[in-house]
Amino acid sequence: MQIAMVGLGRMGANMVRRLRLAGHECVAYDVNEAAVKAMVAEGARGADTPQAVVAALTAPRHIWLMVPAAFVADTVAAFEPLLSRGDTLIDGGNSWYRDDVDRSGLLAAKGISYVDVGTSGGVLGLERGYCLMVGGPDKAVQQLAPVFDALAPGVDAAARTKGRGGSAATEERGWLHCGPSGAGHFVKMVHNGIEYGLMASYAEGLNVLANANIGSEEHAKDAETAPLANPEYYRYDIDLAAVSELWRRGSVVSSWLLDLTAQALHADPQLSQFQGRVSDSGEGRWTIHAAIDEGVPVPTLASSLWDRFYSRDRGDVAHRILSAMRSGFGGHREVVADTTRATK
């Protein structure tokens, strides 16, 4: 079928490539002219304005927005007056699900469908496919089924769950109509909240292993630092790259995230290209917001979000206040941090 892709960044461009490999006709548009030219060179049809995108499509039009959440509102505003009854806008980025509910209502009044698609797959989606969490009206989702099937990983991406029979359901092919407007991004929001927690668990566990040789180090004796009571129990020089590679095979903690960790540690055991400042794009915050509204405890997911804040020095004032209080009530001085230890 015919579809336009608006936003040709790390994921959008590869989605165009995957769609074209499946035989779909793609119109490519981005504010970056070079990105459009690159897609045209690969066989897509280019467009240089929203008007050109709409003109290049045959009604009913399907326009997929693959832009950062901060730019979705302006992009929708640019396309909305150009569309006709029966057309569909698809938001494949990481928008807040509440925005989907609001936008879909306004567009529905004009006969325009709005479909939200939480898209997971990252920069490797071209080869691996994309896991798609879909929200929106039934008719619009059904029309887009061939597109979802082309982008999704397919049934061979995982072994079939024991007990499932008959024809493969859409979730077995890699996409799911989760419910009405906002449902797709709601599921993706929680997916990313879980991702925060999984990533934090790997990082914290490997950090314990990285420091398992602390008993072999010299430690200054002072009143400010709790001594290591039994240094003989911490004299293990653990190879993190080897352990992460080991865990990929037969372990209950094996996963794609662990695969990526093993690759990174093999390429650079010191992880020297990273400073450890971890961003959050919003989904973790929104997951905590939803959990509070629902009265659902999510201590692991919340802790992983706080850790990302700490990684960006957002806790520096709190830590200085702690030092100030200790100094005030006990005359405790700060101990200069040891920055010599590194990842094995």
Side-chain angles (χ1 to χ4, degrees):
M1 64 181 288
Q2 191 183 53
I3 188 166
M5 184 68 65
V6 176
L8 304 173
R10 289 173 295 180
M11 291 180 69
N14 277 343
M15 292 171 74
V16 170
R17 294 183 178 106
R18 190 170 174 92
L19 287 167
R20 291 197 66 255
L21 286 171
H24 295 287
E25 179 186 349
C26 296
V27 176
Y29 170 65
D30 194 289
V31 293
N32 181 352
E33 295 180 5
V36 177
K37 290 179 179 178
M39 289 293 95
V40 171
E42 295 185 31
R45 184 175 177 182
D48 56 3
T49 64
Q51 291 83 354
V53 171
V54 174
L57 297 171
T58 302
R61 304 171 185 85
H62 296 88
I63 301 175
W64 189 302
L65 311 182
M66 206 64 193
V67 300
F71 298 99
V72 172
D74 288 343
T75 308
V76 170
F79 278 95
E80 181 268 326
L82 307 175
L83 299 179
S84 304
R85 182 172 294 273
D87 292 344
T88 300
L89 276 177
I90 306 106
D91 179 8
N94 283 324
S95 294
W96 194 21
Y97 77 96
R98 293 190 178 190
D99 292 334
D100 298 321
V101 174
D102 296 340
R103 290 174 186 141
S104 64
L106 294 173
L107 291 170
K110 301 181 179 182
I112 301 168
S113 296
Y114 192 82
V115 175
D116 53 286
V117 181
T119 306
S120 181
V123 296
L124 300 180
L126 175 58
E127 296 81 16
R128 293 172 56 96
Y130 302 88
C131 177
L132 305 173
M133 294 145 267
V134 184
D138 292 345
K139 183 178 179 180
V141 172
Q142 290 167 4
Q143 289 177 347
L144 287 162
V147 169
F148 298 146
D149 277 328
L151 291 172
V155 294
D156 294 333
R160 200 165 201 196
T161 299
K162 186 177 180 180
R164 280 187 176 267
S167 300
T170 64
E171 59 267 27
E172 295 180 276
R173 304 201 296 270
W175 68 273
L176 177 67
H177 186 193
C178 301
S181 297
H185 277 146
F186 190 94
V187 174
K188 179 58 162 49
M189 172 187 76
V190 177
H191 165 284
N192 283 22
I194 292 171
E195 178 185 301
Y196 282 26
L198 289 172
M199 293 171 72
S201 294
Y202 283 124
E204 291 176 11
L206 289 168
N207 196 23
V208 173
L209 293 179
N211 288 278
N213 202 29
I214 193 172
S216 300
E217 300 175 2
E218 292 292 331
H219 296 276
K221 295 181 179 179
D222 57 57
E224 303 303 323
T225 307
L228 182 61
N230 299 104
E232 67 273 18
Y233 296 145
Y234 298 96
R235 289 176 176 158
Y236 303 117
D237 190 8
I238 306 295
D239 185 333
L240 298 190
V243 169
S244 60
E245 190 65 36
L246 170 70
W247 285 351
R248 295 180 60 223
R249 293 165 171 81
S251 167
V252 296
V253 300
S254 60
S255 72
W256 185 31
L257 287 173
L258 184 60
D259 294 344
L260 298 174
T261 302
Q263 291 171 23
L265 288 169
H266 175 71
D268 178 10
Q270 304 301 322
L271 301 178
S272 56
Q273 64 178 306
F274 302 103
Q275 297 181 8
R277 298 177 67 86
V278 188
S279 299
D280 71 290
S281 54
E283 300 86 357
R285 303 184 190 205
W286 302 333
T287 301
I288 305 308
H289 190 299
I292 292 172
D293 283 348
E294 296 173 0
V296 174
V298 288
T300 301
L301 305 190
S303 178
S304 68
L305 179 63
W306 309 152
D307 185 64
R308 293 193 178 204
F309 294 165
Y310 275 125
S311 79
R312 306 198 299 272
D313 299 327
R314 297 297 177 85
D316 60 339
V317 172
H319 294 157
R320 289 201 297 270
I321 288 172
L322 288 174
S323 287
M325 286 189 288
R326 293 187 77 246
S327 176
F329 68 69
H332 300 285
R333 61 179 178 80
E334 290 186 328
V335 177
V336 178
D338 178 6
T339 59
T340 61
R341 295 210 311 270
T343 305
K344 299 290 188 294

